[in-house]
Amino acid sequence: MTSAFLDVDPAAFAAIAGMAIVTYATRVAGLALAGRLALRGRAEAAFEAIPPAVLTAVIAPAILLAGWPEAVAGALTALAAIRLPLIACVAVGVGAVVALRAIAGA
Amino acid sequence: MHASQSTTTRREEIRAALSDIAAPSLALVPIGVLFGAVATAEGLSAAETMLMSGFVFAGGAQFAAIEIWADPVPVAAIVFSTLLINLRHVLMSASLAPRTGAFATWQRIVGFHFLADETWALAERRAAAARLTPTYYFTMIALFFPTWLVTISTGAVLGARIGDPQTYGADFAFPALFIALIAALWKGPATGVVVAASAVAAACAAWLFGPPWHVPAGAVAGIAAAALAWRPDPLKERET
């Protein structure tokens, strides 16, 4: 961890290098697999579940364990996501959490 | 005659690519600024933020990495969550690879680094209507990729001056963005099962063991729930 503008911390560099390597691997894997990867049925369902499962796991503690303002703001954001574009949902969530934290703190 | 014809074609390819990628690039601006600002606030230096943005170039995985970023940096958890989030690229590149017949090998090897949800979707759409050319593909990237880098560096410079993100609720921007991304992936009740299983498992793991264990716990629970809940689709079965 570092806050200096141009510093690169060794652990941070390792994380970034690891991220870059696995990400590039997923992008070129398809070139080798092309035409041979035909997931069906249960395996396809499991594979398709990966993005929502991971995204949910990452934020679940910040929504469910942080307190009621975060939980309610999360629910409001989910409602907004039915209709509104990405960046508007972010505005709704951030606006809601600021207002609700003010109420909770008062 | 031949030369002028191919020049015209080339210009048309460039124009089509620019008009197709304009909207996704515009939508990227606030997301990039946000990422740069919060990454800096989480303790990444501007150099680290830019290295990650250029060499990883995957929004979802980058947001997730920042969300679980801590001191000391949980390297294994960050790399693992990146792999899981980006596994979808395997399917995307496998689907696009057979449509890159007009590409030289080096153009595939370099070009596929820039496979993001948006550029992949547009390349697939183009390939469905016409022959996908390197000119079209790399023109898209020539606008999309620099937009990502410029907006993130802007955010990183601004972020260093903004101070504590919690004051502005900026710490909640990622969770809110993720909720919107999950909603965009929604495919009915099957997704609901995945989200519910992942959320419960992740919250329990975070409560019992603390971060970053919530990521693998929730991911495995959500994926297992999808496999368990799967039932054969009678309509699809008849087709095959």
Side-chain angles (χ1 to χ4, degrees):
Chain A
M1 295 282 276
T2 172
S3 51
F5 206 68
L6 290 175
D7 280 4
V8 179
D9 171 77
F13 183 79
I16 292 165
M19 289 174 74
I21 291 165
V22 297
T23 303
Y24 185 66
T26 62
R27 284 177 169 139
V28 288
L31 288 173
L33 286 170
R36 270 180 278 168
L37 190 73
L39 290 177
R40 288 248 195 100
R42 205 176 290 279
E44 185 191 14
F47 201 91
E48 281 187 353
I50 292 172
V54 176
L55 293 176
T56 305
V58 168
I59 58 160
I63 305 278
L64 299 175
L65 302 180
W68 71 263
E70 285 78 9
V72 173
L76 290 173
T77 311
L79 280 179
I82 297 171
R83 274 292 165 84
L84 300 178
L86 222 54
I87 201 69
C89 295
V90 175
V92 167
V94 168
V97 89
V98 168
L100 293 167
R101 276 174 186 166
I103 294 168
Chain B
M1 187 66 192
H2 270 288
S4 78
Q5 237 173 11
S6 83
T7 313
T8 317
T9 316
R10 200 181 170 81
R11 206 168 295 155
E12 278 166 11
E13 292 279 319
I14 292 172
R15 194 177 305 142
L18 288 177
S19 86
D20 287 348
I21 200 68
S25 299
L26 199 61
L28 209 57
V29 172
I31 309 277
V33 172
L34 188 70
F35 179 79
V38 187
T40 314
E42 276 288 323
L44 275 83
S45 71
E48 289 162 352
T49 306
M50 296 319 293
L51 272 178
M52 186 192 289
S53 305
F55 287 100
V56 180
F57 185 53
Q62 287 182 232
F63 284 121
I66 296 307
E67 183 69 23
I68 54 183
W69 203 269
D71 192 6
V73 182
V75 176
I78 288 171
V79 174
F80 182 65
S81 91
T82 300
L83 175 64
L84 286 177
I85 292 171
N86 289 337
L87 268 181
R88 69 184 192 284
H89 290 153
V90 178
L91 288 182
M92 286 157 52
S93 63
S95 151
L96 189 63
R99 307 184 213 287
T100 54
F103 285 48
T105 304
W106 73 265
Q107 287 173 323
R108 286 193 200 99
I109 288 171
V110 173
F112 273 47
H113 168 62
F114 301 98
L115 211 61
D117 295 328
E118 295 87 344
T119 53
W120 170 75
L122 288 176
E124 287 279 355
R125 207 184 63 174
R126 183 73 179 173
R131 185 170 166 81
L132 177 66
T133 61
T135 305
Y136 179 90
Y137 187 82
F138 284 100
T139 302
M140 274 199 312
I141 286 156
L143 183 62
F144 196 69
F145 185 62
T147 304
W148 185 234
L149 295 184
V150 168
T151 54
I152 288 175
S153 52
T154 306
V157 170
L158 291 176
R161 289 159 206 203
I162 288 173
D164 183 9
Q166 199 142 2
T167 323
Y168 313 91
D171 61 309
F172 202 71
F174 284 166
L177 180 72
F178 273 43
I179 289 171
L181 285 174
I182 294 162
L185 292 169
W186 204 266
K187 286 178 196 159
T191 314
V193 171
V194 173
V195 169
S198 173
V200 170
C204 288
W207 186 58
L208 289 172
F209 310 113
W213 295 106
H214 59 285
V215 179
V220 169
I223 293 162
L228 288 175
W230 179 82
R231 294 288 175 271
D233 182 345
L235 284 175
K236 260 191 192 169
E237 290 301 306
R238 221 177 293 149
E239 276 172 26
T240 52

